[in-house]
Amino acid sequence: MAKLGPGAVVGGLTLAALAVVGLLAFQANGAASRAVAAAPSASSSAAGAPSSAAPSASAQPSAPPLPGESGAGLRVVYSLKERQVWLVDPKKPVPVLASFKVTPGAVQPSLGAYTVYSRSAASDGTDGRKVEHVVRFAQQSGTVFGFSALVDESAQPTAAPDPKSKPGGIRSSRPDAQLLWDFAPNGTRVVVVA
């Protein structure tokens, strides 16, 4: 059996410690995002009347109100025109838990109600860039539609995008993608409105 020198042991322990610190930092970041989203908005009245939208982790001060035709029940609402997402839980004192801007892909989904059918913690986007917190809800004419965030906005694509692909990825900030990921497991309704 080969003997390990003191340098190899110290190096291995250092790498293990760095991995643990990185994991704890990642978990703390997600917990902070969820805590910000769960905090009541400053615009809520003292009587506890719900506001039309609570700020998300990106602290959007003037979010448009939840569209009236967005359905009922627990749901994610995505407005094509507003490029806005609302996370709605009618059982909460303030039903709109978060609202944030998104950047749509080259192709938009049709109006209607869908269901989250697939999720990936990390993946490659159709544009060849690394994405995380991928929440897929529709497939239409070969295009997959889902919400995600770029892991590194400054990074170049790891591979050339497929020229035949029609990107349907709907991108948000990393904190907002974390909120949506935590809110929308498989089976969650997604309502796409004009």
Side-chain angles (χ1 to χ4, degrees):
M1 181 177 228
K3 282 181 113 179
L4 294 176
V9 172
V10 170
L13 290 173
T14 302
L15 285 175
L18 288 173
V20 168
V21 168
L23 175 64
L24 292 173
F26 177 78
Q27 289 176 336
N29 182 30
S33 297
R34 289 186 297 278
V36 168
S41 87
S43 63
S44 295
S45 72
S51 67
S52 61
S56 72
S58 59
Q60 184 182 7
S62 59
L66 179 66
E69 72 277 7
S70 68
L74 184 100
R75 65 201 182 278
V76 175
V77 178
Y78 171 44
S79 169
L80 302 176
K81 178 182 168 194
E82 298 288 341
R83 295 180 172 198
Q84 187 84 16
V85 167
W86 294 263
L87 307 181
V88 184
D89 184 349
K91 293 181 180 176
K92 300 289 184 184
V94 178
V96 177
L97 303 179
S99 179
F100 48 87
K101 287 287 186 189
V102 293
T103 303
V107 181
Q108 292 286 346
S110 299
L111 303 180
Y114 304 91
T115 301
V116 173
Y117 69 88
S118 171
R119 295 166 25 113
S120 299
S123 184
D124 290 323
T126 53
D127 60 0
R129 298 170 80 185
K130 297 284 184 193
V131 293
E132 65 183 1
H133 297 116
V134 183
V135 178
R136 298 173 195 88
F137 63 90
Q139 293 183 39
Q140 297 168 356
S141 303
T143 300
V144 175
F145 295 98
F147 302 102
S148 64
L150 289 172
V151 172
D152 181 358
E153 292 190 26
S154 64
Q156 296 299 314
T158 56
D162 180 353
K164 295 182 225 165
S165 73
K166 298 179 245 173
I170 303 158
R171 301 270 168 82
S172 66
S173 70
R174 293 181 81 188
D176 291 337
Q178 176 75 56
L179 289 173
L180 197 146
W181 173 266
D182 292 342
F183 180 83
N186 285 342
T188 303
R189 279 185 70 223
V190 176
V191 181
V192 179
V193 298

